[in-house]
Amino acid sequence: MNILITGGASGLGLAAAEAVEKEGWRALVVDVRAPDQRFDHVTADVSDRGETERAVRELAERAGGLDGVVTAAGIDACGRLEDVPADDWERVIRVNLLGTAAVVRAALPYLKHTRGKVVTCASTLGLRPLSDASAYSASKFGVVGFTRALATELRGEVGVTLLVPGGMRTGFFDGRPDQYKPGPEAGLNDPADVAQAVVFALRQPTGCEVRELVICPSTETSWP
């Protein structure tokens, strides 16, 4: 199977690409940075619709089609609304929400042909918001709504799964002020473990779908 993964150069996206390859499938990576050279990839900024569409088409044509898409690319801009520069705040929406929609839209012709699957990545903060995370929560609430609507729209044509991960041990928290970093008691998940949920959703036979999966540390404070 050919599985296109955004954000595949690091974090959950990289873990998903590695898990896909271990299954004997082919990982096709889209990221703003070039990933490990063992993955077939195209560099693109998913906040740019034109770049995104080009990258999806190029990888799909190169691989001979798509059987699945995983939208793991994501960024954050922490702080109170009045303190986060507007450009930074809006970029979170463009990457996390509009980028997700752009990838899926570009991949649909290929996925409909194979009756493939889409796995979108929201967050527990897309179900329960926190202070100083308005951009991230808005984007992930949007991903939740987008995915639920998409599942209704594409039923019988393309499988759709909403993945809702909690905190993971990735570089996502690097470069933040200490107040926005998880403490040692957070017990963050290994992204490789979360990636197994992605594989589980992709592995389901045609017509059998995992609609939503919440995967979080047992001590996750943003769930339930």
Side-chain angles (χ1 to χ4, degrees):
M1 294 206 303
N2 298 325
I3 310 298
L4 187 143
I5 302 165
T6 65
S10 63
L12 177 59
L14 175 58
E18 291 173 338
V20 159
E21 294 276 330
K22 286 179 182 177
E23 288 292 310
W25 305 338
R26 184 177 181 182
L28 308 169
V29 170
V30 177
D31 201 300
V32 71
R33 296 184 295 111
D36 188 313
Q37 291 300 313
R38 64 190 149 138
F39 301 123
D40 198 353
H41 70 276
V42 172
T43 56
D45 182 347
V46 297
S47 72
D48 184 307
R49 189 175 72 245
E51 281 191 29
T52 301
E53 292 172 347
R54 171 189 58 80
V56 171
R57 286 195 301 267
E58 182 175 335
L59 285 170
E61 294 297 325
R62 189 187 300 171
L66 295 176
D67 301 286
V69 168
V70 181
T71 60
I75 61 170
D76 197 0
C78 301
R80 297 179 64 84
L81 179 62
E82 67 261 38
D83 297 330
V84 177
D87 286 346
D88 295 345
W89 198 99
E90 291 175 7
R91 179 167 171 76
V92 175
I93 305 298
R94 289 197 302 273
V95 170
N96 296 0
L97 176 56
L98 300 183
T100 293
V103 169
V104 174
R105 185 187 297 112
L108 275 182
Y110 305 99
L111 295 174
K112 286 185 175 182
H113 181 71
T114 60
R115 292 198 67 187
K117 296 184 184 296
V118 172
V119 179
T120 63
C121 297
S123 166
T124 51
L125 295 191
L127 302 175
R128 178 184 175 189
L130 293 178
S131 176
D132 294 22
S134 62
Y136 191 74
S137 285
S139 70
K140 294 302 186 177
F141 266 81
V143 171
V144 171
F146 168 74
T147 308
R148 288 174 175 172
L150 191 70
T152 300
E153 182 177 316
L154 297 178
R155 56 190 175 190
E157 297 182 273
V158 174
V160 178
T161 297
L162 172 66
L163 181 71
V164 183
M168 292 174 282
R169 295 192 298 274
T170 71
F172 188 71
F173 302 108
D174 294 351
R176 297 184 180 192
D178 287 344
Q179 72 189 96
Y180 298 129
K181 292 182 179 180
E185 75 287 348
L188 303 179
N189 278 334
D190 184 336
D193 293 335
V194 180
Q196 290 305 307
V198 174
V199 170
F200 174 73
L202 293 171
R203 193 189 289 133
Q204 298 307 304
T206 300
C208 179
E209 298 180 22
V210 179
R211 288 299 192 200
E212 300 190 7
L213 279 167
V214 178
I215 309 292
C216 61
S218 61
T219 55
E220 177 68 59
T221 57
S222 60
W223 176 263

